[in-house]
């Protein structure tokens, strides 16, 4: 009878919103499984679980459906829809229910909300087991919310909370509150927001307090709203959130009739947080009220909002009425003119600022800007170099002075003025011998001699570099290039000796591995064997577990074959539930918090490796494996390979091999290279995002991906959101890399540079390298791209050693 009461409670809750309107009139029979006690807010499971498989430990998926589960994870929604069809009439009710679950998730992910709703209602009608019943209600809530049926959505979310208490309370209560607020039930929304605030959560809950403040304004509790906003302002370190809090507080004050106080709040948002969206909204609100706004503040906010015309007018008004000022207005006048494309006027304004306000805190930044504008705006590379050298001379004690000199030399090099470039690079070691740029400057100066065929001078310069550098990588680099010079001088014996030195200094490092290639006569990215991706994970895990017990002095009988107490950790439980719901980002955040929390515990971290690997959360598995090695004192790359092979296979796994292998064959690309690229780009995380806006496993920019999808004619109706689907991301990324390879005549080195920095840059660097692959890496002018190429090659060598080892 207990289960029947839960069912009826759920149905009564939903009756007012007609959630199950499409169900038959008969009442569903109770599930034969007993209803477990509600989980406490600490998220305790009944017993510690063995390591999870890709099928959730909270929901046993029939084995016949595991391929569809994998297809959904990969984002192959069409396959899920087509291949789930036969299982909808399967005699096994659990198979039918799981097929309906996967099908409804795929339909929702594809945006077919009406069909997804019908499918999830069919699942609810089928009397699934408790966990799936709760999850189905959550998905129903998501669908209703997307369809704008907010009351129905809120009721569905609430039913989830009844059926699955103490797991995702903070998250689902907030969803329910948002839906209630949209439906007009402000009282209910506020109660749900407060419940969400009182439930365990990862974040600080400050944005939730702003939602609560807005709800309180709707209810007329203006004082309560202002108090919540002030809490956010005091506790947050996020300027954007603070600006929004000031704006919401101003709304509350206006409702109280305190317009002057409200306007002061708006002015504070403008002055303190000019980059924030709500600073611009505050400016608009003040202007709509014909309130006074400082012209300098207005100009700065308009600049960051991209409103250059009105921003420039405001700055000019300020300058016309303030004969004495600190120079900030002049600085922003230059910025706005530059943003408008008025290059010469911008440079004049910047020169005026530099001449008149040398004590301004942004004076050095202005010099850097001037150099960039001269270089990239006018193409005046020599003028840009001269500007940076003037800055370094004016501020010789600044910690950035060596960087300015190095950049100046780079500009001279770009101008073709090798003499000045070489002189500046060599002088850095004299003026700033302890700086990171001292060694790099000597290397670049030596490289310039090599590029000019001054091999004797280059040899001396690289040998001089050996006296300065102390790192293993730096010494390997010097010996590698000494060998290149000796080869050019016609002394292959001396070159080979130098490369033998190089290969021994920094095992697994780029220069050591390239030296080994040259000694073996092996080309870049060359392997003579087909990779064998088989890994005996079970046997390797047992060996690693024994090593962990021995290395960390754990008892010999310590059982590491399950998550142990970690299975009861709230972060693990929440993560598993998010994973089941297809909320992969939220799951990842929970598990990363757990990983960091136990990072000092070798046994706990080791347990997580296998759990994450089996769930295909590869980036967290890799980080956990690396952390165990770090705790064992194996901190450098070479020593880490002395640990059991399990750690190497986890850290450099053949992940997504079933997808990448056919793509490699189709595009005639090295499979091990593709593993290396994906690992470098995203650490195998499908939801990875870069600051520049690149998405997914292969970190593709949406604009690039759109062009590739159009070229392939797949997938249909492509949107940038599709880049979170591994199947789509990998196909588009591999095809784009192959396109670059073909464009550059089969040169994969140049293609990789183009993939990272664009084909235009890669073409210029290729011209400078004159066909020398080793020189190509060095003449790449972006440090990020140079590091990218070297790291991919290092990974490729490791993948080759692990999966295509050759006798040497």
């Amino acid at each position: 009878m207990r289960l029947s009461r839960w069912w009826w409670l759920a149905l009564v809750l939903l009756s007012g919103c007609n959630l199950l309107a499409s169900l038959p009139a008969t009442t569903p029979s109770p599930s034969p499984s007993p209803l477990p006690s509600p989980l406490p807010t600490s998220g305790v499971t009944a017993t510690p679980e063995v390591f999870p498989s890709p099928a959730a430990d909270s929901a046993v998926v029939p084995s016949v459906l595991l391929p569809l589960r994998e297809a959904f994870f990969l984002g192959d929604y069409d396959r899920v829809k087509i291949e789930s069809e036969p299982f909808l009439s399967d005699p096994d009710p659990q198979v039918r229910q799981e097929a309906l679950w996967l099908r409804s998730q795929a339909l929702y992910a594809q945006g077919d909300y009406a069909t997804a709703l019908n499918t999830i209602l069919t699942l609810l009608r089928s009397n699934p087991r408790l966990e799936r019943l709760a999850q189905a209600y959550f998905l129903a809530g998501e669908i209703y919310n997307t369809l704008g049926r907010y009351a129905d959505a809120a009721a569905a979310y609430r039913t989830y909370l009844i059926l699955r208490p103490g797991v995702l309370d903070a998250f689902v209560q907030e969803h329910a509150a948002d839906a209630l607020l949209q439906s007009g039930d402000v009282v209910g929304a506020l109660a749900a927001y407060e419940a969400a605030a009182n439930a365990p959560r990862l974040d600080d809950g400050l944005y939730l307090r702003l939602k609560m403040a807005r709800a309180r304004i709707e209810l007329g509790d203006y004082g309560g709203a202002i108090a919540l906003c002030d809490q956010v302002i005091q506790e947050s370190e996020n300027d954007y959130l603070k600006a929004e809090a000031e704006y919401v507080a101003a709304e509350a004050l206006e409702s109280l009739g305190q317009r002057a106080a409200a306007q002061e709040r708006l002015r504070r948002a403008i002055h303190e947080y000019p980059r924030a969206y709500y600073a611009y909204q505050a400016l608009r609100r003040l202007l709509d009220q014909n309130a006074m706004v400082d012209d300098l503040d207005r100009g700065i906010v308009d600049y960051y909002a991209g409103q250059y015309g009105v921003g420039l007018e405001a700055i000019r008004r300020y300058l016309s009425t303030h004969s004495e000022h600190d120079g900030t207005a002049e600085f922003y006048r230059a910025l706005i003119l530059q943003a408008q494309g008025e290059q010469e006027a911008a440079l004049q304004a910047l020169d005026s600022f530099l001449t008149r306000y040398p004590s301004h805190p942004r004076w050095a930044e202005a010099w850097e800007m001037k150099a960039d504008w001269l270089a990239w705006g006018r193409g005046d590379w020599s003028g840009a170099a001269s500007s940076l050298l003037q800055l370094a001379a004016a501020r010789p004690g600044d910690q950035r002075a060596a960087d300015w000199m190095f950049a100046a030399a780079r500009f001279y090099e770009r101008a073709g003025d090798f003499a000045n470039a070489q002189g500046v690079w060599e002088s850095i070691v004299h003026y700033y011998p302890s700086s990171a740029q001292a060694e790099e400057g000597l290397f670049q100066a030596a490289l310039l001699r090599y590029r000019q065929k001054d091999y004797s001078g280059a040899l001396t310069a690289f040998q001089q570099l050996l006296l300065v550098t102390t790192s293993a990588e730096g010494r390997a680099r010097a010996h590698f290039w000494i060998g290149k010079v000796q080869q050019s001088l016609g002394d292959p014996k001396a070159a080979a000796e130098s490369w033998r030195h190089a290969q021994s200094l920094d095992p697994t490092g780029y220069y050591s591995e390239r030296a080994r290639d040259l000694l073996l006569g092996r080309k870049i990215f060359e392997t003579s064997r087909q990779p064998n991706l088989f890994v005996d994970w079970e046997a390797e895990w047992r060996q690693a577990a024994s090593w962990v017990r021995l290395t960390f002095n754990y008892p010999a009988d310590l059982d590491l074959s399950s998550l142990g107490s970690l299975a009861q950790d709230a972060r693990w439980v929440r993560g598993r539930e998010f994973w089941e719901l297809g909320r992969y980002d939220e799951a990842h955040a929970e598990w990363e918090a757990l990983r960091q929390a136990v990072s000092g515990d070798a046994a706990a971290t080791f347990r997580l490796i296998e759990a994450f690997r089996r769930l295909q959360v590869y980036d967290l598995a890799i980080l956990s494996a690396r952390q165990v090695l770090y705790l064992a004192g194996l901190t450098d790359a070479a020593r880490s390979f002395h640990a059991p092979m399990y750690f190497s296979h986890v850290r450099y796994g053949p992940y997504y091999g079933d997808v990448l292998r056919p793509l490699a064959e189709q595009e005639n690309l090295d499979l091990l290279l593709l593993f290396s690229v994906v690992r470098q780009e995203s650490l195998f995380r499908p939801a990875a995002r870069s600051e520049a806006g690149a998405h997914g496993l292969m970190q593709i920019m949406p604009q690039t991906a759109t062009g590739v999808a159009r070229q392939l004619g797949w997938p249909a109706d492509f949107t940038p959101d599709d880049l979170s689907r591994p199947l789509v991301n990998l196909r588009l990324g591999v095809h784009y890399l192959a396109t670059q390879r073909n464009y550059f005549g089969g040169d994969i080195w140049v293609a990789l540079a183009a993939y990272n920095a664009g084909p235009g840059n890669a073409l210029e660097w290729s011209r400078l390298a004159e066909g020398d692959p080793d020189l190509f890496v060095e003449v790449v002018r972006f440090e990020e791209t140079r590091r990218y190429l070297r790291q991919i090659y290092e990974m490729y060598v490791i993948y080759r050693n692990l999966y295509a080892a050759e006798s040497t």
Side-chain angles (χ1 to χ4, degrees), residues 29-357:
S29 59
S31 167
S33 303
L35 183 70
S37 300
L39 291 175
T41 54
S42 61
V44 179
T45 55
T47 57
E49 300 286 349
V50 296
F51 288 130
S53 67
D57 55 359
S58 64
V60 180
V61 176
S63 59
V64 294
L65 293 177
L66 288 178
L68 291 189
R69 173 86 173 209
E70 175 69 7
F72 177 76
F73 176 76
L74 292 175
D76 193 351
Y77 306 134
D78 286 334
R79 180 186 173 191
V80 174
K81 289 193 303 180
I82 294 169
E83 296 187 12
S84 65
E85 188 77 32
F87 295 108
L88 300 181
S89 56
D90 194 276
D92 185 338
Q94 187 176 354
V95 171
R96 293 198 304 271
Q97 290 163 1
E98 291 305 313
L100 284 167
W101 173 245
L102 288 168
R103 187 179 181 84
S104 59
Q105 285 186 304
L107 289 163
Y108 178 68
Q110 280 194 320
D112 187 353
Y113 304 122
T115 310
L117 181 59
N118 288 334
T119 307
I120 204 67
L121 291 176
T122 302
L123 173 59
L124 289 170
R125 178 167 67 227
S126 71
N127 188 22
R129 55 193 162 72
L130 176 68
E131 292 90 345
R132 191 63 82 214
L133 174 67
Q135 291 158 358
Y137 272 113
F138 176 84
L139 182 54
E142 296 285 85
I143 297 169
Y144 277 128
N145 196 53
T146 304
L147 292 171
R149 294 173 59 176
Y150 300 115
D152 291 344
Y157 292 137
R158 285 174 158 178
T159 305
Y160 170 89
L161 291 166
I162 292 172
L163 297 172
R164 202 91 162 102
V167 182
L168 300 183
D169 287 14
F171 180 81
V172 181
Q173 287 282 17
E174 188 170 348
H175 270 54
D178 291 343
L180 287 165
L181 197 62
Q182 289 282 356
S183 72
D185 183 358
V186 183
V187 173
L190 185 56
Y193 281 137
E194 289 173 346
N198 292 325
R201 61 191 305 126
L202 281 185
D203 64 31
D204 55 19
L206 293 178
Y207 187 66
L208 178 62
R209 288 190 216 177
L210 284 185
K211 290 185 176 182
M212 294 168 65
R214 286 195 163 95
R216 288 190 177 277
I217 290 175
E218 290 286 328
L219 291 174
D221 180 8
Y222 305 121
I226 294 168
L228 285 168
C229 290
D230 285 339
Q231 289 176 19
V232 172
I233 293 166
Q234 291 167 10
E235 297 178 26
S236 178
E237 296 180 358
N238 185 319
D239 285 355
Y240 296 86
L241 199 59
K242 290 181 178 182
E244 185 173 357
E246 294 283 13
Y247 188 87
V248 175
E251 289 181 321
L253 287 165
E254 284 184 10
S255 298
L256 285 169
Q258 299 179 27
R259 173 162 285 199
Q263 290 179 350
E264 187 56 34
R265 290 275 194 162
L266 297 174
R267 291 190 185 95
R268 191 185 306 167
I270 292 170
H271 184 75
E272 298 292 335
Y273 321 112
R275 297 173 183 263
Y277 168 80
Y278 275 94
Y280 182 64
Q281 295 304 311
L283 173 60
R284 292 182 61 183
R285 197 177 189 98
L286 285 171
L287 294 177
D288 288 344
Q289 296 172 5
N290 294 316
M292 293 293 297
V293 182
D294 180 82
D295 277 324
L296 178 57
D297 286 341
R298 179 177 178 180
I300 294 172
V301 169
D302 278 330
Y303 166 71
Y304 287 119
Q307 304 298 313
Y308 303 127
V310 291
L312 187 58
E313 290 178 11
I315 293 291
R316 283 171 173 164
R317 283 196 303 271
Y318 178 87
L319 289 171
S320 68
T321 56
H322 293 75
S323 57
E324 297 294 329
H325 56 86
D326 68 353
T328 299
E330 196 69 42
F331 179 80
Y332 277 97
R333 184 169 78 91
L335 287 180
I336 294 174
L337 288 167
Q338 170 69 12
Q340 288 182 317
E342 300 181 43
Q343 296 280 351
E344 296 307 313
L347 281 168
Q348 290 176 13
L350 203 59
D351 280 335
S352 174
F353 170 79
L354 291 169
T355 301
R356 298 171 60 192
Y357 305 103

Side-chain angles (χ1 to χ4, degrees), residues 610-649:
E610 189 66 4
F612 290 143
R613 186 192 69 79
R614 293 192 184 199
L615 282 165
Q616 301 179 77
V617 192
Y618 298 126
D619 63 316
L620 296 188
I622 291 167
L623 294 173
S624 298
R626 186 170 68 186
Q627 181 64 14
V628 171
L629 297 177
Y630 173 81
L631 293 173
L634 302 178
T635 54
D636 63 81
R639 292 179 64 200
S640 69
F641 287 98
H642 295 161
M645 188 62 74
Y646 172 78
F647 292 98
S648 297
H649 278 141

Side-chain angles (χ1 to χ4, degrees), residues 742-757:
N742 296 340
Y743 178 76
F744 288 106
D747 192 327
I748 195 63
W749 239 174
V750 184
L752 287 169
Y755 191 92
N756 178 262

Side-chain angles (χ1 to χ4, degrees), residues 441-519:
L442 284 179
F443 175 76
Q444 292 297 332
L447 194 68
L448 270 182
R449 294 182 183 275
Y450 178 86
R451 289 169 59 187
Q452 296 175 85
K453 310 288 193 295
D454 177 11
Y455 298 127
S456 297
L459 182 61
T460 301
F462 282 124
Q463 289 170 337
Q464 206 173 21
L465 181 62
L466 276 175
L467 302 176
V468 174
T469 184
T470 57
S471 69
E473 180 187 18
R475 294 185 65 79
R477 178 171 69 167
H479 279 294
F480 174 83
W481 277 99
I482 287 171
K484 291 279 289 185
V485 174
Q486 289 166 333
Q487 183 186 50
S488 298
L489 286 169
D491 191 348
K493 184 176 179 180
E497 182 63 25
S498 295
W499 290 332
R500 279 191 285 272
H501 279 300
Q503 77 166 346
S504 66
L505 286 167
D506 187 28
T508 75
Y510 169 75
Y511 292 100
S512 288
E513 296 303 333
R514 275 299 295 141
R516 181 174 286 108
D517 285 345
L518 292 176
L519 288 169

Side-chain angles (χ1 to χ4, degrees), residues 421-595:
Q422 187 173 302
V424 174
W425 270 325
E426 289 175 344
S427 68
I428 296 174
V429 73
H430 173 72
Y431 291 106
Y432 304 101
S434 61
S435 73
Q437 299 294 13
E439 177 182 335
E440 191 62 26
L442 284 179
F443 175 76
Q444 292 297 332
L447 194 68
L448 270 182
R449 294 182 183 275
Y450 178 86
R451 289 169 59 187
Q452 296 175 85
K453 310 288 193 295
D454 177 11
Y455 298 127
S456 297
L459 182 61
T460 301
F462 282 124
Q463 289 170 337
Q464 206 173 21
L465 181 62
L466 276 175
L467 302 176
V468 174
T469 184
T470 57
S471 69
E473 180 187 18
R475 294 185 65 79
R477 178 171 69 167
H479 279 294
F480 174 83
W481 277 99
I482 287 171
K484 291 279 289 185
V485 174
Q486 289 166 333
Q487 183 186 50
S488 298
L489 286 169
D491 191 348
K493 184 176 179 180
E497 182 63 25
S498 295
W499 290 332
R500 279 191 285 272
H501 279 300
Q503 77 166 346
S504 66
L505 286 167
D506 187 28
T508 75
Y510 169 75
Y511 292 100
S512 288
E513 296 303 333
R514 275 299 295 141
R516 181 174 286 108
D517 285 345
L518 292 176
L519 288 169
L520 294 172
R522 186 164 52 195
K523 296 179 181 178
I524 284 181
F525 298 117
E526 180 182 348
T527 182
S528 60
R529 296 186 57 188
Q530 287 297 315
N532 176 7
L533 303 184
F534 173 75
V535 177
D536 189 342
W537 289 108
E538 185 176 349
E540 289 192 3
W541 179 87
R542 287 197 300 268
Q543 181 190 18
S546 297
W547 179 85
V548 166
R549 294 186 195 99
L550 181 64
T551 300
F552 294 98
N553 296 315
Y554 291 131
D557 60 350
L558 176 66
D559 183 11
L560 297 171
S561 64
S562 74
L563 284 168
S565 61
L566 291 175
Q568 300 179 2
D569 188 282
R571 290 159 294 198
W572 179 260
V573 175
R574 289 195 298 263
R576 290 313 312 268
E577 185 73 353
F578 278 131
W579 199 255
E580 270 298 289
L581 294 171
R583 307 288 303 211
Y584 299 131
D585 277 353
E586 289 84 357
H588 191 279
E590 296 283 352
W591 288 337
E592 172 59 6
L594 175 60
R595 186 190 72 81

